[in-house]
Amino acid sequence: VAKNEEGYSARSDLEVSVMEAPELIPLSFGREVMNENDLAQVSCIAVRGDEPLSISWTFHGNAITSDVDIMTTPIGGRGSNLVIMRVRHQHSGLYTCTATNAVGSRSESIELKVNVPPRWTVEPTDKQFAQGSDAK
């Protein structure tokens, strides 16, 4: 109700809606370190926040688009899965999921660490030496 100096009043109903920015659960690959050729999977889920939500992934700050190595798939309107079918050394690094709506955006990041078996940088060769000589 509002009144002016002359005593006139006005009344009106007002509806207020409060929108909420996204809130993400922490990301996890399920293990601290993955082995080469393992399957790696992480889900990005917005537990709060008004829809519509847009969810995107980056790797070292570069947008990820689904390809042969890395696939992203939506989970309803509130999440996204990132799957690496066969983890390689080049997949090591920082993955970030960002959820955005009309109010704002939130991001969660996780580092993927990959164990890679040792490899020879220079292949050893057999050599023969006489007993008692310097092996140089």
Side-chain angles (χ1 to χ4, degrees):
V1 176
K3 286 188 179 180
N4 67 11
E5 293 175 358
E6 296 185 17
Y8 292 105
S9 64
R11 175 185 203 116
S12 181
D13 290 330
L14 176 67
E15 185 176 317
V16 176
S17 64
V18 178
M19 294 189 70
E20 192 172 25
E23 181 182 325
L24 301 175
I25 60 173
L27 302 178
S28 173
F29 281 107
R31 286 192 288 178
E32 189 73 23
V33 179
M34 305 295 287
N35 291 318
E36 191 174 53
N37 294 319
D38 283 354
L39 178 135
Q41 183 268 323
V42 60
S43 296
C44 179
I45 306 293
V47 291
R48 287 198 180 124
D50 288 305
E51 293 186 34
L53 289 166
S54 167
I55 298 180
S56 60
W57 290 94
T58 61
F59 176 58
H60 293 297
N62 299 315
I64 295 175
T65 55
S66 289
D67 64 21
V68 176
D69 286 345
I70 302 173
M71 294 182 299
T72 60
T73 52
I75 304 171
R78 304 193 68 79
S80 176
N81 253 351
L82 182 140
V83 177
I84 305 169
M85 296 304 290
R86 296 184 66 182
V87 173
R88 301 272 187 240
H89 173 70
Q90 63 264 27
H91 296 125
S92 297
L94 192 67
Y95 291 82
T96 301
C97 171
T98 302
T100 305
N101 67 7
V103 179
S105 64
R106 295 276 165 79
S107 296
E108 282 285 328
S109 296
I110 187 167
E111 184 176 3
L112 177 62
K113 298 175 186 172
V114 180
N115 267 339
V116 179
R119 294 191 173 108
W120 293 107
T121 53
V122 175
E123 189 80 29
T125 58
D126 291 336
K127 304 249 179 175
Q128 293 184 355
F129 297 95
Q131 185 174 355
S133 68
D134 276 346
K136 289 186 181 179

